Amino acid sequence: MTARDEVVAAIGAALGDVLEREITGLTEDTRLFDDLRLDSSKVLELLMLVEMAVDITVDPDDLDIDRLRTVRSFADYVESRQAIGEGVS
């Protein structure tokens, strides 16, 4: 499993927890708001779970809606946080 696969798997697991259901057919093109119907409170929960799963911190001021449109754009953001060494203290 590649690092990217691990990030996408962590996002998928977090989505399942947040939405309280199994997420089937998840791809990097899955749209978080349109396809999965996430709302703002679910997004915050998703961010917290992903932070813990992949050991990053998310700066809300650094996070705009475009980074949360799809699993791909969110995974790109997560990888960028990992690349700059933003670990949880």
Side-chain angles (χ1 to χ4, degrees):
M1 183 177 271
T2 67
R4 177 63 171 217
D5 292 337
E6 290 175 8
V7 168
V8 172
I11 292 170
L15 283 166
D17 288 346
V18 166
L19 296 172
E20 299 177 346
R21 64 181 169 90
E22 184 179 347
I23 307 298
T24 57
L26 188 75
T27 70
E28 288 199 32
D29 293 324
T30 301
R31 297 171 300 175
L32 300 179
F33 295 101
D34 297 332
D35 297 335
L36 299 178
R37 304 284 185 223
L38 286 186
D39 60 26
S40 58
S41 65
K42 296 291 185 189
V43 167
L44 291 176
E45 192 176 344
L46 174 66
L47 292 173
M48 290 187 309
L49 290 171
V50 171
E51 280 180 322
M52 290 186 296
V54 298
D55 194 29
I56 63 166
T57 55
V58 174
D59 179 356
D61 294 331
D62 183 42
L63 191 63
D64 63 43
I65 193 70
D66 288 333
R67 295 178 191 255
L68 291 166
R69 293 219 185 271
T70 64
V71 171
R72 173 177 289 112
S73 62
F74 186 42
D76 289 345
Y77 173 75
V78 169
E79 285 185 323
S80 73
R81 299 303 293 179
Q82 288 175 321
I84 59 174
E86 290 290 336
V88 176
S89 308

